[in-house]
């Protein structure tokens, strides 16, 4: 009985957090099946009748699919850059002893405390100088740079948890340092790589501020910017805007659902060793 009482606060916190997540989601989902008059007259009730045209119009829109492909291209390219560069940097920090190693690693850690908004003005000037405005690379490269600190920290922790004996056995078998990294370490580190990949993709998918500053051409806009355009096009049709928002969430939610197990195992891997 005492043990159950001790778990009650945890259960209460979980239920409260679930309510704050589920209620807005359900409101948006059901609101997309309503008309604007239903939303104003009965915002919390079930749709009556159900208006499916809001969702079908969004799915049938060529603009939506173009923005979806733009978001997908930017997110995947950013993730490949972040994970590839971070894996090599984390390998060097974890498996090699060299002068200044801890200082350089501390610089990466300090990057976690550097607000993105503070850098937006010099970043805009830099991108304009290199001609990267209205270019997907103008979004991809800064996202990759700001994603490096957390990714390096997570991968370094995982790489350091792998026993030295594994590396020594690989060297005896004729592996070079890069061969050990490519053929042995990366396959073992799949859970950690999946974790940082999910974090990078979701962060890129939800990024609004940087694409807003860099991309002025509507043909290059991502889904978060598309919501803004959709809001301007259908200013009084809040139900259709809700449908657009819900449909734009589906790819990220589906990816997270598929990678959830790898995400959890990657975050906990190496937690007992450092």
């Amino acid at each position: 009985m005492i043990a159950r009482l001790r778990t009650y606060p945890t259960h209460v916190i979980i239920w409260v957090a679930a309510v704050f997540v589920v209620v807005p989601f359900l409101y948006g989902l059901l609101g997309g099946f309503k008309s604007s008059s239903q939303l104003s007259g009965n915002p919390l009730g079930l749709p009556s009748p159900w208006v499916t045209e809001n969702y079908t119009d969004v799915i049938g829109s060529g603009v939506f699919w173009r923005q979806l492909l733009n978001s997908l291209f930017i997110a995947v390219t950013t993730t490949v850059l972040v994970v590839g560069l971070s894996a090599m940097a984390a390998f060097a920090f974890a498996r090699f002893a060299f002068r200044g190693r801890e200082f350089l690693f501390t610089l990466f850690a300090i990057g976690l405390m550097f607000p993105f908004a503070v850098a937006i003005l010099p970043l805009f000037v830099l991108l304009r100088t290199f001609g990267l405005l209205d270019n997907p690379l103008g979004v991809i490269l800064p996202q990759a740079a700001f994603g490096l600190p957390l990714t390096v920290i997570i991968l370094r922790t995982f790489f350091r948890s792998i026993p030295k004996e594994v590396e020594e056995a690989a060297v005896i078998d004729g592996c070079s340092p890069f061969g050990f990294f490519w053929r042995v370490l990366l396959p073992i580190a799949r859970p950690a790589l999946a974790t940082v990949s999910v974090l990078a993709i979701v962060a890129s998918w939800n990024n609004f501020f940087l694409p807003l500053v860099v991309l002025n051409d509507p043909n290059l806009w991502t889904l978060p910017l598309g919501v803004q355009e959709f809001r301007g096009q259908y200013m009084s049709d809040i139900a259709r805007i809700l449908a657009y928002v819900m449909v734009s969430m589906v790819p990220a939610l589906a990816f997270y659902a598929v990678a959830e197990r790898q995400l959890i195992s990657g975050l906990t891997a190496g937690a007992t060793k450092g």
Side-chain angles (χ1 to χ4, degrees):
M1 185 66 180
I2 296 177
R4 289 183 179 179
L5 289 175
R6 289 176 179 174
T7 61
Y8 282 157
T10 302
H11 291 165
V12 170
I13 293 173
I14 292 173
W15 277 105
V16 170
V19 166
F20 276 98
V21 172
V22 173
V23 169
F25 179 81
L26 290 178
Y27 177 81
L29 180 64
L30 295 176
F33 285 105
K34 297 180 180 181
S35 63
S36 295
S37 60
Q38 290 184 54
L39 272 177
S40 59
N42 186 22
L44 301 179
L46 292 175
S48 179
W50 291 71
V51 182
T52 59
E53 288 81 5
N54 292 332
Y55 284 98
T56 56
D57 288 349
V58 171
I59 295 174
S61 170
V63 174
F64 169 79
W65 290 105
R66 184 179 68 239
Q67 293 166 355
L68 175 65
L69 291 176
N70 290 339
S71 291
L72 187 63
F73 171 74
I74 290 175
V76 171
T77 308
T78 299
T79 301
V80 171
L81 278 176
V82 169
V83 175
L85 295 175
S86 298
M88 291 185 285
F91 175 62
F93 286 133
R95 314 301 292 195
F96 291 97
F98 55 90
R99 182 177 299 177
R101 182 184 68 175
E102 295 305 318
F103 173 75
L104 291 176
F105 181 74
T106 302
L107 290 180
F108 276 96
I110 291 175
L112 291 173
M113 300 181 289
F114 189 72
F116 174 77
V118 173
I120 194 63
L121 181 57
L123 183 60
F124 176 82
V125 174
L126 185 65
L127 293 175
R128 185 179 60 184
T129 302
F130 286 98
L132 292 178
L133 296 180
D134 269 339
N135 188 327
L137 284 176
V139 178
I140 292 169
L141 295 178
Q143 283 186 163
F146 279 90
L148 285 175
L150 179 61
T151 309
V152 168
I153 291 173
I154 293 175
L155 291 181
R156 187 207 192 202
T157 302
F158 188 92
F159 290 166
R160 292 185 69 179
S161 70
I162 297 175
K164 271 283 188 182
E165 291 76 9
V166 176
E167 183 175 1
E168 292 170 356
V171 172
I172 292 174
D173 288 338
C175 266
S176 63
F178 182 79
F180 168 72
F181 168 74
W182 183 256
R183 298 178 182 178
V184 180
L185 197 61
L186 290 185
I188 294 176
R190 263 183 282 184
L193 295 175
T195 298
V196 296
S197 297
V198 171
L199 296 176
I201 286 179
V202 172
S204 174
W205 195 270
N206 294 330
N207 196 346
F208 173 78
F209 191 27
L210 182 60
L212 177 66
V213 173
V214 176
L215 304 176
N216 294 316
D217 185 356
N219 292 322
L220 298 175
W221 281 4
T222 58
L223 282 174
L225 292 182
V227 172
Q228 182 189 28
E229 180 190 35
F230 209 77
R231 179 177 178 274
Q233 186 177 0
Y234 299 99
M235 181 65 70
S236 61
D237 199 344
I238 304 299
R240 188 166 298 190
I241 296 172
L242 290 176
Y244 185 97
V245 172
M246 297 309 299
V247 173
S248 67
M249 290 171 57
V250 170
L253 291 176
F255 178 79
Y256 180 81
V258 171
E260 178 185 6
R261 182 174 300 178
Q262 293 290 338
L263 176 63
I264 295 173
S265 63
L267 286 174
T268 56
T272 59
K273 295 183 181 181

